[in-house]
Amino acid sequence: MIPNIVECHQVTKRYGQKIALDRLELAIPAGRITGILGPNGCGKSTLFRTLTGMVRPDEGRVEVLGKTPGWRTNQSIAYLPDRARWYPNHTARQALEWGNSFLPGFSMERAIQLADEMEIDLDMRVGGMSKGQEARIMLILCLARDVDLVVLDEPFTGIDVMSREAIVASLIDFLEESEQSILISTHDIQEVEGLFDYTVMLKEGRAIWSGNSEDLRAEYGSLRNVFRKLYAKEWND
Amino acid sequence: MEEQQVGSLHFQIDFSQPLYEQILDQARSAIAKGEIALGEKMPSVRELAQELRINPNTVMRAYQELERDGLTEKRRGQGTFVTSSADNVASFRTALAAKYIDSFMEQMENLGLSWEDIEKYVRGKKDSGTGGDGL
């Protein structure tokens, strides 16, 4: 197994005048659950799109699973994007069947089990779902896959408390059973900071801190406090 | 910081301190005090991780350490149990007490106190009824 699941050297990505990633240096060890933390616009989603080959950096070198991101590496990555795209007339079951047909390593059996745990009615139409139900289906599409890397972009955002709890609970079960590496980005770490065993703090396209979450706690206190301090400026804007 | 009851164990997790040590210390002390009985089943790793909302790997590491302490044992296919050996718990408690006393003595000596002074303080503390829970 490769030591680092993600490596970035001097990675820069600009959108016009705006710098999304600014000479980013980053190494994320394999087999961990890593929290990519930072406020909106700090570069989290751009980083994830870079790892899945949807965005090519202007400068620098990116490696995921030891290779340059592309369709080959994507077969081994389950990616939950920050926005969903659905056929509104599909039922939950059809959405999962779509996953079963098109996503490498997908297990329909596992998906149905997850749907049961997360209280998703398989006959419900996707078009009529709440944001929280939609988020749960998206998560199932990722967690039902036997792949090396799971990438979840803001899985907790804008959803109800029940869905949030269901998602955290299934992530904990998932972590217990699997050896996969997981990256989760979030700008809201309340109630989830205990999940991350590795932490990356992004600010303005750079990693301002990365390391073992336990070391961060020993040195600075709770992730939530560190987060508040580091991003005080954005918080007050 | 809220207290959480998981089976016979209760935990108070402070997210501003390393989590592994808190779980280990609190489980050790529950076993040493007999809050969870000899031979009783420990909560599963999954159950504890779910209740405390923390990474199961962290719980697993603490459980491995409890096993090395001789305080728990794994039974194939059944989970983790508190040791049924009262001797194991007693010797762990003695070792831990010795460790606490060493660090207490070191701190007292750093204050320049003699053994007589220390004895006097400890007696005074005991007589005023604020020390310990009558052990």
Side-chain angles (χ1 to χ4, degrees):
Chain A
M1 192 150 147
I2 50 159
N4 290 326
I5 200 109
V6 169
E7 287 198 19
C8 295
H9 297 292
Q10 297 291 310
V11 173
T12 296
K13 176 68 194 176
R14 294 183 199 83
Y15 293 107
Q17 292 291 334
K18 192 185 169 334
I19 295 194
L21 299 176
D22 184 9
R23 288 160 290 160
L24 178 67
E25 284 289 327
L26 189 60
I28 298 176
R32 313 286 291 270
I33 171 156
T34 300
I36 311 276
L37 313 180
N40 288 327
C42 70
K44 298 187 298 279
S45 293
T46 305
L47 172 64
F48 282 180
R49 289 190 194 117
T50 307
L51 299 180
T52 48
M54 291 183 286
V55 160
R56 222 170 265 285
D58 300 323
E59 288 152 42
R61 189 164 58 85
V62 178
E63 278 189 6
V64 64
L65 302 167
K67 299 186 184 77
T68 303
W71 66 271
R72 268 178 211 283
T73 52
N74 281 352
Q75 294 196 312
S76 308
I77 300 176
Y79 171 61
L80 179 138
D82 56 353
R83 277 174 221 117
R85 287 172 205 88
W86 300 109
Y87 300 107
N89 280 323
H90 269 183
T91 60
R93 186 188 304 278
Q94 285 169 313
L96 299 184
E97 277 162 0
W98 172 87
N100 198 29
S101 311
F102 292 105
L103 300 175
F106 194 91
S107 157
M108 193 62 187
E109 195 187 335
R110 174 98 181 102
I112 287 173
Q113 185 199 337
L114 282 164
D116 182 46
E117 283 168 22
M118 290 200 238
E119 294 174 8
I120 289 292
D121 174 4
L122 290 174
D123 296 321
M124 187 172 187
R125 276 178 57 249
V126 171
M129 284 187 176
S130 72
K131 257 201 117 182
Q133 287 167 322
E134 222 178 75
R136 279 181 267 168
I137 294 265
M138 303 254 289
L139 188 74
I140 292 168
L141 288 172
C142 287
L143 298 189
R145 293 179 62 189
D146 183 14
V147 287
D148 296 326
L149 176 61
V150 176
V151 177
L152 309 177
D153 196 359
E154 297 279 1
F156 312 113
T157 299
I159 58 174
D160 56 292
V161 177
M162 289 294 289
S163 296
R164 192 181 166 101
E165 286 192 348
I167 286 177
V168 172
S170 27
L171 279 174
I172 290 174
D173 281 351
F174 181 78
L175 291 174
E176 202 205 341
E177 290 159 15
S178 93
E179 305 276 298
Q180 285 157 289
S181 306
I182 307 180
L183 307 182
I184 298 180
S185 76
T186 181
H187 68 275
D188 178 9
I189 59 178
Q190 200 174 357
E191 290 160 46
V192 298
E193 68 171 78
L195 294 184
F196 306 132
D197 59 13
Y198 199 84
T199 298
V200 175
M201 302 256 182
L202 284 186
K203 187 175 183 176
E204 292 161 5
R206 289 178 169 223
I208 51 174
W209 198 92
S210 63
N212 291 314
S213 307
E214 293 278 71
D215 294 342
L216 187 67
R217 281 189 195 98
E219 208 173 326
Y220 301 104
S222 87
L223 302 190
R224 202 168 161 216
N225 289 341
V226 178
F227 196 76
R228 279 208 184 124
K229 266 180 226 158
L230 288 175
Y231 305 114
K233 193 174 155 287
E234 283 85 340
W235 240 240
N236 295 331
D237 279 351
Chain B
M1 202 171 30
E2 61 182 305
E3 183 159 319
Q4 282 160 297
Q5 184 82 30
V6 188
S8 314
L9 298 174
H10 56 91
F11 289 89
Q12 258 188 323
I13 299 297
D14 174 0
F15 280 97
S16 66
Q17 301 289 327
L19 306 177
Y20 163 79
E21 283 161 35
Q22 296 179 64
I23 293 165
L24 182 57
D25 288 349
Q26 292 174 27
R28 274 174 170 167
S29 112
I31 297 171
K33 279 198 237 166
E35 269 173 20
I36 177 163
L38 291 177
E40 197 178 320
K41 192 176 191 301
M42 295 281 285
S44 69
V45 168
R46 173 176 179 268
E47 199 182 341
L48 199 52
Q50 284 289 2
E51 289 299 323
L52 303 179
R53 290 272 182 265
I54 62 174
N55 192 310
N57 290 327
T58 311
V59 177
M60 199 129 56
R61 281 201 296 133
Y63 270 34
Q64 284 164 351
E65 194 56 32
L66 289 171
E67 213 178 331
R68 276 194 287 270
D69 290 338
L71 293 178
T72 61
E73 54 203 27
K74 249 199 220 129
R75 293 187 202 155
R76 196 188 291 264
Q78 296 181 64
T80 299
F81 292 76
V82 177
T83 176
S84 45
S85 154
D87 286 351
N88 275 10
V89 176
S91 64
F92 177 80
R93 191 164 45 192
T94 309
L96 200 60
K99 206 176 99 186
Y100 289 157
I101 288 175
D102 284 347
S103 81
F104 167 76
M105 291 298 284
E106 197 186 317
Q107 285 171 321
M108 292 297 121
E109 279 159 18
N110 286 343
L111 288 176
L113 295 175
S114 69
W115 172 241
E116 285 72 26
D117 295 330
I118 298 171
E119 213 177 353
K120 210 157 64 192
Y121 279 119
V122 174
R123 275 189 199 287
K125 191 77 180 164
K126 185 165 182 281
D127 294 342
S128 71
T130 54
D133 49 5
L135 279 174

